[in-house]
Amino acid sequence: MIYTLYGFAIFFFVFWCGKWLVHLAAIFYGKWKLHKKLSQQSCEIPYPGVSILKPLMGVDPNLFSNLETFFTMNYPVYELLFCVEDKSDPAVMVVMQLMENWNNLEQNISSVILLYVGGSNVGVNPKINNMQPGFIAAKYDLILISDSGIRMKEDTLLDMVSCMTEDVGLVHQMPFTCDRDGFAATLGSAFLSRCPSSMILCPHQLSRDCRQQPGMSALMAKIPHSTKWGKFKHFSLLLLGAEDFFLAKSNHHGKILVVCGNQPVCQARLTRWAKLRVAMVPHTILLEPLSECMVIGACASWAVSFLFKWDPLVFYLVHILVWFLLDWILLSIIQ
C-alpha cells in the first residue's frame, strides 16, 4: 500500500512539473513567435494567388463585419468564393450587399468575388457539400478554408502565405476570441489563451510539424488528385467538424509539414469543439481535468506533503497564485 501511495505521489508531482514546463515554454515561444515582424517578400518574386473558400449558413452575430475584413486585406491577388447551399439563406443577402458595397473597389484590391449557391450532394458532410462547387472553381494553387466567424487583419493572409514554404502542406492559426464584452467572452478568452494555446505553442517549439487540429482557418496547397485524399469530396464522408483534422492528417506524407501561423484566429464555438473532442479523442478527455489548475494543484499539494513533508495549504495557495500570473502573462502576449 505504501509503495502504491508513493507511486501516485511521484506521478502527480512529475505531471505537475511537466505542466509548468509547458506553461513556461508557451510564454517564451509565444512572445517570440506571435510578435515577429512580417518580412516583405522581394518585388521580383510575385506572391502566389489564393482562393478563399467561405462556407456560409445563416447569419451569425457580426457576420457582415467579419466578411468585410476579407475585402480589406493587404494582399495582391486573391479570390473570394462564398458558398451557400440554400438560395433562400439570409447569408445570400449579406454577401450581395457586401459585393455591391465593394464593387467599385474590386479592381483596386485585385480580387475576384463570386457567390456559389446550391452546393453539391457528394456525401454526408454538409460543409464539404457546400464548398464543393467553390473548390472545383478555385483557380489558384493555394486554398484558404475560412469559416463565417473568422475576422482577418490586413496582413493575416500575407503572414499565412509567408509560412507556406516548399515543405509545408498546410498552415493553420492558433484559436482565440475577439475582444468582446461580458463574462462569457472574458472566460472564453482566458480559457483559449491557456489550454489550447499552450498545447499548440509548446509542441510547435519542439517540432516545426504542428499536428493540432487546424480548426476554422487553414491555408493549404490544393490537394493533387494523385494523393490518398486527392478528391476534396472524399472529406464529405467524415463527421461534420472533423474534416479539418483529416485535412491536416492528409498532408503528413513525405516532407509535407503542418505549421501554425504567427497570428491567432478568432473562434467562438467551444461547445461544438468539446463535443467533437469527446467523440474523437475520449482518452484525452479522461485526463483533461487533471491538467486544470485546481485539480492538479490539489494533487500536487498532497504529493509534496507525502514526499517532502511540505505544508500542503501554503503550497496550494502559491501554486494558484503563480498559475494565475502565468495565465495572465500568456493572455497578454496573445492579445
Side-chain angles (χ1 to χ4, degrees), residues 17-34:
C17 292
K19 288 295 297 181
W20 283 109
L21 290 176
V22 171
H23 237 117
L24 294 173
I27 288 174
F28 288 113
Y29 187 67
K31 182 66 176 176
W32 174 79
K33 181 174 179 61
L34 302 181

Side-chain angles (χ1 to χ4, degrees), residues 262-280:
N262 299 317
Q263 294 185 8
V265 64
C266 165
Q267 78 161 359
R269 292 191 290 181
L270 295 182
T271 303
R272 162 189 169 273
W273 189 17
K275 289 179 179 178
L276 278 173
R277 295 187 65 214
V278 170
M280 294 173 61

Side-chain angles (χ1 to χ4, degrees), residues 111-164:
S111 67
V112 176
I113 301 103
L114 298 172
L115 174 62
Y116 294 90
V117 179
S120 298
N121 187 17
V122 294
V124 298
N125 189 312
K127 182 177 177 181
I128 299 297
N129 292 343
N130 192 4
M131 289 191 295
Q132 180 71 8
F135 181 81
I136 293 174
K139 63 180 181 180
Y140 296 122
D141 290 333
L142 293 182
I143 293 183
L144 173 64
I145 299 177
S146 176
D147 285 4
S148 61
I150 299 296
R151 297 182 67 88
M152 298 288 273
K153 294 172 63 179
E154 289 186 358
D155 60 343
T156 301
L157 185 56
L158 199 63
D159 171 73
M160 296 183 75
V161 172
S162 68
C163 296
M164 182 66 75

Side-chain angles (χ1 to χ4, degrees), residues 30-294:
K31 182 66 176 176
W32 174 79
K33 181 174 179 61
L34 302 181
H35 291 256
K36 291 171 65 176
K37 290 185 178 180
L38 189 62
S39 58
Q40 294 291 334
Q41 192 166 300
S42 173
C43 298
E44 290 79 15
I45 304 175
Y47 285 94
V50 180
S51 298
I52 302 176
L53 293 179
K54 296 288 296 183
L56 304 176
M57 179 177 287
V59 179
D60 301 330
N62 304 315
L63 177 63
F64 188 91
S65 60
N66 289 342
L67 298 183
E68 195 174 29
T69 61
F70 285 81
F71 290 79
T72 59
M73 293 188 297
N74 181 22
Y75 194 81
V77 183
Y78 64 94
E79 60 177 354
L80 283 170
L81 308 177
F82 295 101
C83 304
V84 184
E85 194 164 7
D86 188 354
K87 63 182 180 180
S88 62
D89 195 305
V92 174
M93 296 302 299
V94 175
V95 175
M96 295 296 292
Q97 182 63 48
L98 279 166
M99 293 172 67
E100 182 180 347
N101 291 351
W102 291 90
N103 186 45
N104 295 331
L105 298 177
E106 188 173 319
Q107 293 181 350
N108 295 338
I109 62 176
S110 302
S111 67
V112 176
I113 301 103
L114 298 172
L115 174 62
Y116 294 90
V117 179
S120 298
N121 187 17
V122 294
V124 298
N125 189 312
K127 182 177 177 181
I128 299 297
N129 292 343
N130 192 4
M131 289 191 295
Q132 180 71 8
F135 181 81
I136 293 174
K139 63 180 181 180
Y140 296 122
D141 290 333
L142 293 182
I143 293 183
L144 173 64
I145 299 177
S146 176
D147 285 4
S148 61
I150 299 296
R151 297 182 67 88
M152 298 288 273
K153 294 172 63 179
E154 289 186 358
D155 60 343
T156 301
L157 185 56
L158 199 63
D159 171 73
M160 296 183 75
V161 172
S162 68
C163 296
M164 182 66 75
T165 56
E166 291 183 358
D167 56 346
V168 173
L170 186 143
V171 178
H172 67 93
Q173 294 178 275
M174 187 177 66
F176 196 57
T177 59
C178 293
D179 292 329
R180 297 193 302 268
D181 296 329
F183 175 76
T186 303
L187 186 63
S189 296
F191 169 76
L192 285 171
S193 69
R194 185 192 59 79
C195 185
S197 300
S198 59
M199 291 298 103
I200 290 175
L201 289 172
C202 186
H204 197 273
Q205 181 183 17
L206 300 176
S207 171
R208 193 182 169 207
D209 201 6
C210 193
R211 298 173 180 249
Q212 271 69 22
Q213 189 168 333
M216 298 164 27
S217 179
L219 177 71
M220 64 179 183
K222 197 167 185 179
I223 306 172
H225 287 275
S226 60
T227 63
K228 178 182 177 182
W229 296 104
K231 295 182 179 179
F232 188 67
K233 66 180 182 180
H234 284 178
F235 292 98
S236 65
L237 304 176
L238 302 171
L239 177 71
L240 176 62
E243 67 283 336
D244 54 355
F245 175 78
F246 289 99
L247 275 170
K249 283 194 68 174
S250 69
N251 285 282
H252 288 290
H253 54 82
K255 295 182 179 179
I256 302 302
L257 304 178
V258 173
V259 302
C260 182
N262 299 317
Q263 294 185 8
V265 64
C266 165
Q267 78 161 359
R269 292 191 290 181
L270 295 182
T271 303
R272 162 189 169 273
W273 189 17
K275 289 179 179 178
L276 278 173
R277 295 187 65 214
V278 170
M280 294 173 61
V281 282
H283 52 282
T284 63
I285 300 299
L286 296 176
L287 291 176
E288 190 161 306
L290 191 60
S291 68
E292 298 301 327
C293 173
M294 302 296 183

Side-chain angles (χ1 to χ4, degrees), residues 1-8 306:
M1 187 65 177
I2 191 66
Y3 291 118
T4 302
L5 292 177
Y6 268 110
F8 276 112
F306 185 81

Side-chain angles (χ1 to χ4, degrees), residues 13 303-310:
F13 182 71
V304 298
S305 174
F306 185 81
L307 294 172
F308 311 119
K309 309 304 180 185
W310 294 354

